[in-house]
Amino acid sequence: MTQQPPAVRLKGVGDSLWVTLDPALPAEQLQKELQTIFSRLKHLAINARVVLDPGDGKEHPDLIAALGGFLKETFDVGMVTAATKKRKHTDGRARTRELHGNLKYRRSNVLMVSGRVRSGQKLEAGKHLVLLGDVNPGGAVVAGGDIFVLGCLRGTASAGQPDDESAIILALDFKPSQIQIGGYVAAGLPPAQEKTAEFARVENGTVLVEDYLAADPFGRIPWPEIR
């Protein structure tokens, strides 16, 4: 028996929460599904940018408006937009102008802080987190997107919360007691032989830790992308 896909699915894409839904279902049912999913996000939903994707390539302005209004009123999300159609051909100049415009006028979703996260302390960010300092054993850092520790990571780090498996955790000295990316947890990771920048990512359902410079995880991207 073939299992039907869920009516509403959520994932993190760049700086947005991307919601794929079935437009054939009644709006009331879709609202109930959104209520369940966004209730789990708690404060991470506040002022978030949400993209609603009916998934059939068609425009559903009334449905998008109704669900967008529901999300803003119920969960205080920020901007709600419909998914735009992918362009088949984009020349280099157009892509450059688009990137320049996005970077110039885009509000940053990065929380950058300095200092040391000590035992018993917990630092949280709705999107990406950059820490100029260390995370001591017993300290914790949590983010909805990527985590960059420009120091020693010895405590716990949870990136891509609650379910963004594309997030990464990077530290200049990578020695965490436990890490989590999306719903995947890893503990007891072997320390590197020498101090080197390492990062963790999810691949095929497994948390991998690699030398950042050697792996060059973003080197094959043809154009800079906003995460």
Side-chain angles (χ1 to χ4, degrees):
M1 182 177 179
T2 303
Q3 185 176 3
Q4 294 294 326
V8 176
R9 301 186 302 277
L10 181 143
K11 63 179 180 178
V13 177
D15 62 345
S16 305
L17 297 175
W18 192 285
V19 179
T20 303
L21 51 89
D22 184 353
L25 296 176
E28 293 77 10
Q29 181 176 344
L30 295 175
Q31 285 185 5
K32 291 181 180 179
E33 297 285 347
L34 291 171
Q35 176 84 35
T36 300
I37 293 176
F38 275 79
S39 294
R40 299 172 186 160
L41 297 179
K42 299 180 180 179
H43 68 281
L44 296 178
I46 298 176
N47 292 327
R49 182 176 184 270
V50 179
V51 179
L52 298 179
D53 181 8
D56 59 359
K58 299 179 181 179
E59 296 182 358
H60 298 269
D62 294 338
L63 179 62
I64 298 299
L67 297 180
F70 167 75
L71 290 174
K72 289 182 179 180
E73 180 178 349
T74 308
F75 298 102
D76 291 326
V77 303
M79 181 184 299
V80 180
T81 60
T84 57
K85 295 182 179 179
K86 295 182 178 180
R87 291 167 292 188
K88 295 182 179 180
H89 302 286
T90 305
D91 60 35
R93 291 184 179 180
R95 178 61 174 164
T96 300
R97 289 196 299 270
E98 177 185 341
L99 175 66
H100 175 73
N102 285 342
L103 292 179
K104 184 176 181 180
Y105 299 108
R106 178 176 173 271
R107 184 177 61 183
S108 174
N109 285 307
V110 178
L111 173 63
M112 179 177 291
V113 294
S114 60
R116 184 186 300 271
V117 180
R118 294 173 169 80
S119 179
Q121 294 180 334
K122 184 178 182 181
L123 181 62
E124 296 184 75
K127 190 56 177 174
H128 305 302
L129 172 63
V130 177
L131 172 64
L132 306 176
D134 301 331
V135 182
N136 285 357
V141 286
V142 181
D146 301 325
I147 294 177
F148 297 90
V149 178
L150 304 186
C152 183
L153 172 59
R154 293 180 179 271
T156 65
S158 302
Q161 297 306 298
D163 55 8
D164 181 5
E165 298 169 9
S166 67
I168 69 170
I169 300 172
L170 180 146
L172 298 184
D173 191 6
F174 194 92
K175 298 176 181 176
S177 57
Q178 177 179 294
I179 59 173
Q180 180 174 355
I181 299 177
Y184 294 91
V185 179
L189 300 169
Q193 296 300 318
E194 57 185 36
K195 283 189 177 181
T196 181
E198 292 183 302
F199 78 107
R201 62 186 175 90
V202 172
E203 182 176 293
N204 298 325
T206 302
V207 177
L208 301 178
V209 179
E210 300 176 274
D211 183 309
Y212 182 79
L213 295 178
D216 191 18
F218 305 114
R220 289 187 291 273
I221 298 177
W223 291 92
E225 295 179 355
I226 297 174
R227 287 181 68 78

